[in-house]
Structures are given as C-alpha cells and as structure tokens.
Amino acid sequence: MLSQVYRSGSQPFNQRLLPWVRSTAASRSNRVQPSAVSHVRSWSNIPFITVPLSRTHGKSFAHRSELKHAKRIVVKLGSAVVTRGDECGLALGRLASIVEQVSVLQNQGREMMLVTSGAVAFGKQRLRHEILLSQSVRQALHSGQNQLKEMAIPVLEARACAAAGQSGLMALYEAMFTQYSICAAQILVTNLDFHDEQKRRNLNGTLHELLRMNIVPIVNTNDAVVPPAEPNSDLQGVNVISVKDNDSLAARLAVEMKTDLLIVLSDVEGLFDSPPGSDDAKLIDIFYPGDQQSVTFGTKSRVGMGGMEAKVKAALWALQGGTSVVIANGTHPKVSGHVITDIVEGKKVGTFFSEVKPAGPTVEQQGEMARSGGRMLATLEPEQRAEIIHHLADLLTDQRDEILSANKKDLEEAQGRLAAPLLKRLSLSTSKLNSLAIGLRQIAASSQDSVGRVLRRTRIAKNLELEQVTVPIGVLLVIFESRPDCLPQVAALAIASGNGLLLKGGKEASHSNRILHLLTQEALSIHGVKEAVQLVNTREEVEDLCRLDKMIDLIIPRGSSQLVRDIQKAAKGVPVMGHSEGICHLYVDSEASVDKVTRLVRDSKCEYPAACNALETLLIHRDLLRTPLFDQIIDMLRVEQVKIHAGPKFASYLTFSPSEVKSLRTEYADLELCIEVVDSVQEAIDHIHKYGSSHTDVIVTENEKTAEFFLQHVDSACVFWNASTRFSDGYRFGLGAEVGISTSRIHARGPVGLEGLLTTKWLLRGQDHVVSDFSEHGSLKYLHESLPVPQRNTN
C-alpha cells in the first residue's frame, strides 16, 4: 500500500509526536464523556464547544437536524474548491477557513478526516515556475541579452504535477492545522489498496490509530501512479465502488470507516434538477434514492475528474452503506467560511441525501402551494372571500370542544416548561374563541372592498387611462410563539387580502395549531382554495425558512423580542415586518388628573405585562415628586407587586431608592417597571426618542395644548392621550385582528390589519399609443388629468 505519514525536520516523527500524544492523551482523559455536561473551551482566541457525542453506526440520519450528532465526519474538497480560478495554484483563503472549521469540529470531540484535491494544481504552479526559470536562463545564455522573448510553456503531464505538488500541499495543511494545535497525517491510496484485503485492513488500522490519537488524516489518491480513469459503470456496483476520483474515494472511505457524515464540497450550491444556470433550475433540498430520473446532469467540473453525476452516484453508494451525505458549495465567499459547521449544525445548506421520505410535502412544496392557492384566492369575488371567513368564525364556535380539548393537551405538556406569562398566551377559552369569532366577522366585513380597490385614476392622454389598484403582497410567512389564537386571526387577514400564507407555530402549541389549521382549510374548501394556507410541520428551523426568498414575499414574526431580532438577522433577501422591542412609555404631566393616572398606569403595566404593548417606563414630571399623586402611584404599584427600578435622575432625588436601572432601554415583559423624572414635556419627548422603540407612548394630562404637542412631536407608531398603552392592538383598533405591530417606517406602521397586507399595481389602458407620439415633434400631448375614483364600500 502506497501510504505514508507526513514527516518534517530531521527528528523521527514518532519521537516528535510522543510528548504531544502524552499531553493529548491527558487532555482526552478530561474530554467530555457521553454522559457529561457540555462546556466551553477556547484556543487561538476562538471559542468552541465540547459536545457529548455517541452514535452506533448502521443507518444514515433521516433528518438534517440529526447531523449535530455526527461523531465521525469525512470532508471531501473538490478541485474547484482548493484551486484558484486560473487552475494553477491553491485558493489559500478558502483552505484556511476550511481548516479552521475542521479544527473547530475536531476540538468538539468529533473525528474529522479530509479527502483533498490540489496536488496537481500545486505541482503545476511549481513546475511552471521551474520551466520558466530554466528557459529564461538558457535563453539569456544563448542570446547574450537580458530581455526575454515570449516563451511557450509545454503541456504538463498531470502525474508529474501531482508528484511535484503533493509534498507542498501536505506541508501547507500541516502549517495551517498547527495554528489550532492539531496534528495532521497524510495517507496516499490507489484503487488496489481497497481491493486487496490485506492492504485494506492495513489502511483501516492506520486510520483508526490516527483517529484514536486525535490526528486528522488527510487522504488523497496517489495521482503520481494512478491508472487511467475507468468508465462510469464502475460506480453502479452495490458492494464495490472503484476509486476513480476523489468523489468515489471519499464515498469508499466513508463506508470503510463507518462514518456518520460525508460532506462533499464543490463549486455549486448542491444538486439541481437541471444544470445550474439554466432556466428554471431549482436546488434540490433533499435527495432520495430513486430520484435520479428527475435530474438532468450537465457537464463535469471545470477542473478535476468528476462531475455532479459522479458525486450523486458516489453519494448514493455511501448512503446505502449507512453514511449521511451533504453536497454543498465550498467556494462562495459569503458562505464558505462557515459551510461545514453550518451543515453539522443541521442548517439548510446544500443537498441532503436521505433514505427517509417525509409523509407530507416539503416546505418548498408548501410554499409553491401557498403561492398558487393565494393567486386563486385573489381572483375570488370579495363576497366569496368574506364567506370563507364567516364560515371559519362559525367553526371556531361550533367546534369549540375539539379546540379546547387539543389546547388542554398543549397546556398539560407545557406545565413546568413554560413561564406563567407564556402559559397564559398558550391558553384558549370559550371567551377567547367567542372574541376571535367576533374579530373574524369584522375582517369579513372590511374585506368587501380591499383587493382591486382603485386608489387613483389619471387620464394620461386621450383614450389612455391609468389606474392604481390594490393587490395582495404574495406569500406571507408568519412565525408565532405560544399563541394559537394567532392562527385564525392571521389566516382570516390573509384570506381577506388574497395572500398565500405559510404559518410556523411553536412546538408548545402543536395540538391547538393542528386543529385550528384543519378548520381553516375546511373553510377554504368551500371555494376550492384549501391550499392557500399552509402550516409548516417539518423540522425546518426558523433560520432556514427565512432563506426561502424565492417563495416568500414578507416575513411577519409574532413573539418575543429575541425571536424578532433573530428573524431580522436571518432574513437576507426577504423583508421583515415587525418590531424587535416594545419599550412603551407613559408620561405623567404636571397637570394630570389624579383619578386617571393610577387607572392608566395599572392597566398599562399590570393587565398583561408580557404583551409588547405593556408599559415599561413611567416618566413623571418633577413637580409631582412628594405629592399625594406620586404616593398614590407608588402605593398602587406596591399593591400590584410591581418591582420598581429607578432611573438615574429619579434615584438622585431619593435617600433610599429602589435598585438603579442598568439600562433605560429595557423591555421587562413582567411585573417590573422603570420610573424616571423629567422636567418638561419636551424632555419627556427627548427621553422617548432616545430610549424608546417607536412602539406605543402615552401622555396623561388635562392640558389639551400640551397633549397635542406630545401627539404631534413623538415619533412612534402609536401615540395616545389619556389612554392605556394596551389599546395598541388590531382588534381594539377595529381592524378585526392584526398580523403584528410594525415599528418600521416603510409600508405599514402600528397594528397591521388588512390594509397593511396589500400593495399596489398600475393598470394602463390605451389604443395603439406609443411614446414617440409624445416627443417634441409628435402629434400628441400629455394631459395628466385626475379622474374621479369609485366610491369605497363602507358598509
């Protein structure tokens, strides 16, 4: 067997390794065992997590989310990944990031192996340099001149390039891994090393010993002596696969070593149903054995021996041997720096090969169904959409017992796992269902004149008329936590506005969401648009859903501020409508009514403290300190068991004060409240603009002039006078319901109801009109006359 462990320097490898092995063995004895708790370590200023890993090899993983349990991993680097664009030399930046990712996983306790290309490219670079140098010296001696003429470089034989480049490639890997205190070893193989039983056992033993010593084996075909490529038929075997390239080598190695995961990095995002770059080519998220007939393969890679067809055949062979496979892009500058770790974390990267087909549709298929169903929904008459919503409202009351029974299961399973405020959000009741039904009927009434409403009419010229009309946005993705009552509300708004809808609810409400979605589809079925509203039940993570930019037009998160921030961060190409925080203020003016203040503060803070429209900061005019009004507020908060935090100015007025607030920009979402003192209404406005989140802010005063000044100058989505912050709600605003509250300044703002789910398009009707007729010497002139707009139905 042509295999060797890489050496450097004059000291024998085993002598150089011995002290390191001892220290590694000692550290390994402290490594987290399968029953231990995970903990964080660090090296080279980069933190990493040591995770308990244990898995019996046998069957491949059925779902991406299980990949985080992979213990032994092979990473195959294709020629296009390690080679520069000029195919002469290595892409050092990409290699460095790959080594870093492999090192992170290795130091988590995983067993990493690399199958790498690159020796030919490295050798080609070296040999070209040597040939040019040799030619220039000979030419200079022959001509007696220092100027070089144009020299032709001969075609370099691949085996010679491999022989010249292998040592340099390995030295590069050794230097890179050393930066992370990891040792690497080189293994060169040929096809014979797998077919000769004794050599195969030797190879297997060598690899196991290296892994036992926490060394990363770097495996490559011995391209200096490898025979010519064999026909593709050798990849059709079940028990045997010939090593004809690094794809087949990686597959054979993965099965031989009973590997949990094989990651194949190429220069494309994964497997497409037709050649990448062709019209309508779609990335295949999950590929199942037997799906080959649905794929059209293109040409092979620009470098290397294999193409996508060879990768798929090798991947299916490995999958059949019990190893999970992911084919992904290792060259894209925006993702290559974390592609390997993303795959191991179970993120939706590349094409995942699985033997287990899901019972229902994939999320991509659900997105397509929501798109086509939404378009059908938009073509219905307004009365038909209203009829669907009325029917859903009836089902909420008629099927009340079934809904509450499902909700009871969720509540029982959530006991001890969810905090009290979240349990309250999760709970459904007869009164909640009745309120839901009332809200849905309000939506149905307002939907009569929503889609297709004319906003503007203009006569551009004679017989050339322009209209601006309302249309649906497209497909909405609404992600919500805990609150199952959100599902029928959002579904009704989507139906009224003619939008397709993808719903992703929390696991804690799975039973409630399932029954409510079935009732929604039952209502949609009366006009044949059942597929317009889809409930995502697959294992897709929220971050993966946010990347479906070709299927989703708007993401609306409903939940904690952390959820909203995570979604805003994850959504790269899809707009997000929502608010990351609900830091609501109530300013008590010097001319506030004693009777009104305590009622408004109590309702704003204590009625539902977990809501985003609950009061978080109470601003009090300085003149009210040490007055009966101030004492009454404090007494009420004490009775309601509200924990008070003092702002810096408020703390300075008190000898014994509550704990000083750590930040004036805090959303407590609980019975906690910050109190701060201001000197005027202008200072209150300035404080709100500096520390608020543009959600909902209130003034309590009897001075109308002061109130109007506050209403006009506070730049928030909702600004109230003598009213609780809790009124910031779609149902309370008379919108029927809301899909969320938006604090952005583009599109909808505040509680977003039906109107916020519509956009517009322009319709131009002419008679053989061309722009050239309106030029300086043309026969027509622009009129731009405003035309009357049809009256909106307000019944």
Side-chain angles (χ1 to χ4, degrees):
M1 180 180 65
L2 293 172
S3 62
Q4 61 181 359
V5 177
Y6 180 75
R7 293 176 167 86
S8 65
S10 58
Q11 190 178 15
F13 175 77
N14 58 348
Q15 292 181 21
R16 291 190 298 109
L17 181 64
L18 189 58
W20 182 87
V21 170
R22 286 173 180 159
S23 65
T24 302
S27 65
R28 188 185 289 104
S29 66
N30 297 323
R31 182 175 292 166
V32 175
Q33 299 302 314
S35 60
V37 179
S38 301
H39 65 280
V40 176
R41 301 162 58 198
S42 63
W43 44 265
S44 186
N45 298 321
I46 301 175
F48 63 91
I49 301 174
T50 303
V51 293
L53 299 165
S54 62
R55 176 176 182 260
T56 302
H57 184 84
K59 286 191 68 66
S60 60
F61 294 117
H63 305 283
R64 283 184 186 269
S65 59
E66 298 171 345
L67 295 180
K68 61 175 67 74
H69 302 300
K71 167 74 172 177
R72 185 171 290 174
I73 302 171
V74 171
V75 178
K76 183 264 176 179
L77 308 179
S79 300
V81 176
V82 300
T83 306
R84 293 201 314 246
D86 60 4
E87 303 175 19
C88 183
L90 302 181
L92 297 179
R94 286 202 293 267
L95 275 182
S97 71
I98 288 168
V99 167
E100 180 179 18
Q101 294 172 77
V102 171
S103 300
V104 167
L105 297 174
Q106 179 82 1
N107 282 284
Q108 286 179 354
R110 306 180 200 267
E111 297 175 341
M112 304 299 296
M113 291 180 278
L114 275 183
V115 175
T116 181
S117 303
V120 174
F122 205 158
K124 185 186 294 186
Q125 184 185 36
R126 292 184 63 184
L127 291 180
R128 279 186 174 180
H129 178 76
E130 292 297 325
I131 290 170
L132 282 172
L133 184 62
S134 175
Q135 286 182 345
S136 64
V137 172
R138 287 199 305 270
Q139 191 173 37
L141 291 173
H142 182 266
S143 63
Q145 298 175 355
N146 291 326
Q147 294 182 350
L148 300 179
K149 298 180 180 178
E150 190 174 325
M151 296 176 290
I153 299 176
V155 176
L156 300 175
E157 206 276 329
R159 292 192 184 92
C161 291
Q166 189 65 44
S167 61
L169 176 66
M170 193 60 209
L172 180 63
Y173 274 121
E174 180 81 6
M176 287 181 173
F177 275 112
T178 300
Q179 300 301 311
Y180 305 104
S181 302
I182 291 177
C183 185
Q186 176 180 265
I187 306 288
L188 293 178
V189 298
T190 64
N191 202 24
L192 183 62
D193 296 319
F194 288 99
H195 290 288
D196 184 284
E197 186 61 26
Q198 182 59 49
K199 291 184 176 182
R200 190 179 66 83
R201 283 200 298 268
N202 291 344
L203 174 62
N204 192 296
T206 300
L207 288 167
H208 276 95
E209 184 64 13
L210 291 171
L211 294 177
R212 187 186 68 81
M213 292 191 296
N214 202 34
I215 295 172
V216 175
I218 300 177
V219 187
N220 195 2
T221 52
N222 194 341
D223 294 328
V225 298
V226 72
E230 300 178 26
N232 286 335
S233 59
D234 66 355
L235 284 167
Q236 295 176 358
V238 176
N239 299 318
V240 177
I241 182 170
S242 297
V243 176
K244 58 167 288 185
D245 55 28
N246 277 343
D247 294 318
S248 51
L249 168 60
R252 181 65 191 258
L253 180 69
V255 174
E256 180 73 23
M257 295 296 293
K258 295 181 171 56
T259 301
D260 300 317
L261 173 61
L262 167 61
I263 299 174
V264 180
L265 296 184
S266 181
D267 57 351
V268 291
E269 275 67 32
L271 177 61
F272 288 77
D273 56 1
S274 56
S278 61
D279 293 340
D280 301 323
K282 293 181 180 178
L283 178 66
I284 299 173
D285 173 43
I286 305 178
F287 189 81
Y288 306 99
D291 285 355
Q292 295 94 313
Q293 293 79 10
S294 63
V295 178
T296 302
F297 293 101
T299 58
K300 71 171 195 173
S301 170
R302 62 176 174 83
V303 289
M305 297 177 63
M308 185 55 71
E309 187 172 10
K311 288 177 176 57
V312 171
K313 288 179 178 179
L316 290 174
W317 191 88
L319 186 69
Q320 199 169 14
T323 296
S324 296
V325 183
V326 175
I327 297 177
N329 191 339
T331 64
H332 196 292
K334 291 186 178 180
V335 298
S336 59
H338 46 80
V339 60
I340 299 173
T341 50
D342 279 355
I343 290 170
V344 176
E345 288 173 9
K347 294 182 180 178
K348 206 165 191 173
V349 178
T351 300
F352 172 62
F353 286 71
S354 174
E355 292 186 297
V356 181
K357 283 198 172 186
T362 66
V363 69
E364 289 81 7
Q365 291 170 331
Q366 286 187 293
E368 292 174 356
M369 288 189 288
R371 174 78 68 189
S372 59
R375 285 171 176 162
M376 292 177 61
L377 186 64
T379 62
L380 296 178
E381 294 297 324
E383 294 78 11
Q384 293 175 306
R385 289 193 294 272
E387 188 180 354
I388 293 172
I389 300 170
H390 275 295
H391 188 46
L392 177 56
D394 294 338
L395 288 172
L396 291 178
T397 53
D398 295 344
Q399 305 294 324
R400 177 176 56 249
D401 293 341
E402 289 83 351
I403 297 171
L404 295 180
S405 175
N407 185 244
K408 184 180 178 182
K409 291 181 183 178
D410 289 326
L411 289 169
E412 289 172 351
E413 293 176 5
Q415 287 294 335
R417 295 192 299 110
L418 291 183
L422 293 179
L423 281 173
K424 186 176 180 181
R425 287 188 177 189
L426 179 60
S427 175
L428 292 175
S429 62
T430 299
S431 61
K432 268 191 179 182
L433 292 176
N434 289 336
S435 296
L436 272 175
I438 293 171
L440 263 58
R441 293 187 178 98
Q442 289 179 349
I443 295 172
S446 63
S447 71
Q448 296 290 332
D449 188 23
S450 56
V451 180
R453 177 163 49 90
V454 179
L455 301 178
R456 179 184 302 177
R457 292 180 65 221
T458 304
R459 180 176 287 120
I460 303 297
K462 185 179 180 181
N463 295 325
L464 184 64
E465 293 186 1
L466 178 69
E467 284 184 347
Q468 185 185 22
V469 299
T470 58
V471 293
I473 288 175
V475 175
L476 314 175
L477 168 62
V478 178
I479 302 168
F480 57 101
E481 295 176 323
S482 299
R483 294 180 53 179
D485 53 329
C486 174
L487 194 152
Q489 288 178 332
V490 173
L493 287 168
I495 294 166
S497 57
N499 285 289
L501 179 61
L502 284 173
L503 291 159
K504 175 67 173 175
K507 291 182 292 185
E508 66 280 355
S510 58
H511 299 293
S512 305
N513 289 337
R514 189 176 300 114
I515 181 66
L516 291 170
H517 178 247
L518 288 173
L519 296 178
T520 302
Q521 289 201 313
E522 181 179 336
L524 287 163
S525 297
I526 65 175
H527 287 296
V529 287
K530 177 182 176 181
E531 309 297 344
V533 176
Q534 298 286 324
L535 180 64
V536 178
N537 287 316
T538 56
R539 297 192 178 199
E540 262 74 18
E541 299 292 334
V542 168
E543 185 175 344
D544 294 327
L545 291 173
C546 293
R547 293 173 178 166
L548 300 176
D549 56 311
K550 294 182 180 178
M551 299 180 180
I552 297 167
D553 298 296
L554 180 65
I555 301 174
I556 305 173
R558 293 193 61 170
S560 66
S561 57
Q562 186 60 51
L563 170 73
V564 179
R565 282 194 295 269
D566 290 344
I567 290 172
Q568 289 172 332
K569 183 178 179 181
K572 303 298 183 183
V574 187
V576 178
M577 183 167 66
H579 64 281
S580 58
E581 293 175 307
I583 305 175
C584 302
H585 294 76
L586 186 148
Y587 165 57
V588 183
D589 184 55
S590 59
E591 298 180 67
S593 164
V594 175
D595 296 332
K596 292 177 182 177
V597 169
T598 51
R599 277 173 48 84
L600 292 174
V601 173
R602 179 189 290 110
D603 190 78
S604 296
K605 178 71 259 184
C606 307
E607 199 268 341
Y608 191 0
C612 64
N613 56 12
L615 175 63
E616 304 295 6
T617 299
L618 179 64
L619 300 176
I620 297 179
H621 195 284
R622 179 170 53 87
D623 293 347
L624 297 178
L625 291 178
R626 301 184 180 90
T627 65
L629 171 58
F630 177 77
D631 294 339
Q632 195 170 334
I633 295 172
I634 298 300
D635 289 342
M636 180 273 296
L637 293 173
R638 187 178 295 114
V639 170
E640 296 291 341
Q641 298 183 330
V642 177
K643 181 179 180 180
I644 297 175
H645 301 276
K649 290 186 67 174
F650 180 43
S652 68
Y653 284 101
L654 304 175
T655 306
F656 300 100
S657 67
S659 60
E660 186 169 340
V661 68
K662 294 180 180 179
S663 171
L664 291 168
R665 195 179 285 110
T666 301
E667 182 180 16
Y668 299 103
D670 205 346
L671 287 173
E672 297 185 54
L673 180 68
C674 172
I675 297 180
E676 182 58 309
V677 174
V678 293
D679 291 334
S680 65
V681 63
Q682 182 61 59
E683 189 174 330
I685 294 170
D686 293 341
H687 180 103
I688 290 169
H689 288 164
K690 185 174 183 179
Y691 299 109
S693 61
S694 300
H695 191 293
T696 302
D697 298 293
V698 175
I699 182 173
V700 182
T701 184
E702 296 304 301
N703 188 314
E704 182 177 354
K705 184 177 180 181
T706 302
E708 287 300 328
F709 183 84
F710 185 91
L711 294 175
Q712 297 302 321
H713 286 80
V714 171
D715 186 18
S716 296
C718 300
V719 189
F720 302 160
W721 171 24
N722 288 351
S724 167
T725 60
R726 297 277 291 117
F727 278 104
S728 184
D729 175 83
Y731 175 74
R732 298 179 184 118
F733 276 18
L735 305 177
E738 66 184 40
V739 292
I741 294 180
S742 172
T743 55
S744 68
R745 287 166 173 76
I746 300 175
H747 193 52
R749 197 176 185 206
V752 180
L754 176 57
E755 297 288 336
L757 299 181
L758 297 171
T759 184
T760 64
K761 70 177 180 182
W762 298 90
L763 306 177
L764 184 62
R765 297 177 176 90
Q767 294 182 1
D768 193 31
H769 287 82
V770 293
V771 170
S772 59
D773 287 343
F774 295 87
S775 64
E776 184 178 354
H777 303 291
S779 57
L780 296 178
K781 300 293 183 184
Y782 289 112
L783 299 177
H784 292 151
E785 296 175 357
S786 294
L787 299 176
V789 174
Q791 290 299 308
R792 183 179 180 183
N793 181 5
T794 57
N795 294 330

